[in-house]
Amino acid sequence: MGRIQRWKDRAQTPDKVSKGDASDFANGRTQAIYAQYQERLKTLNAADFGDLMLHMTTVFQEHPEVLEDWRRRFKYVLVDEYQDTNTAQNTLLWHLCDFDDTPNLFCVGDDDQSIYRFQGASVQNILEFRE
């Protein structure tokens, strides 16, 4: 479950997990287990915590009209403790903020205070923010 959660934290659906990343655990079956787990959640009409960001990111990528509707709802986006965001959260933020029109994302954080790596946080998000 921890490995699946890390993939979700990195915004990786089962089909996006590299074979190399999936090969070193459960006799190379983790990618298949992840896919089966997602199918079971779908059957149960359920989601786990990692799915909250992952599903929204997927919806925004596959349905631009939904993304545009959500972008219109927020003039500005402020994120505190940005150093503790994971890749999925960061991807969702970048989708919500329309950088083609007016950059409207403001982030606050301190790379020296990144303490949630064990929960999938990526300090690279804040280190690469200006880029």
Side-chain angles (χ1 to χ4, degrees), residues 56 60 65-77 96 104:
M56 282 307 303
F60 286 168
E65 69 283 359
V66 174
L67 174 59
E68 285 307 313
D69 180 54
W70 278 95
R71 281 181 173 173
R72 282 191 292 275
R73 296 172 189 228
F74 302 102
K75 186 172 181 180
Y76 303 105
V77 177
L96 279 175
N104 58 357

Side-chain angles (χ1 to χ4, degrees), residues 82 90 94 99 105-107 124-131:
Y82 189 63
N90 194 53
W94 286 86
F99 293 99
L105 176 61
F106 185 88
C107 296
Q124 289 306 114
N125 293 338
I126 197 167
L127 295 175
E128 297 173 355
F129 182 74
R130 287 180 160 260
E131 295 172 21

Side-chain angles (χ1 to χ4, degrees), residues 39-64:
E39 281 301 314
R40 184 68 177 145
L41 286 173
K42 187 176 180 180
T43 299
L44 296 171
N45 196 28
D48 65 18
F49 184 76
D51 287 331
L52 298 177
M53 296 291 153
L54 184 62
H55 290 330
M56 282 307 303
T57 300
T58 302
V59 167
F60 286 168
Q61 289 171 339
E62 294 177 1
H63 302 281

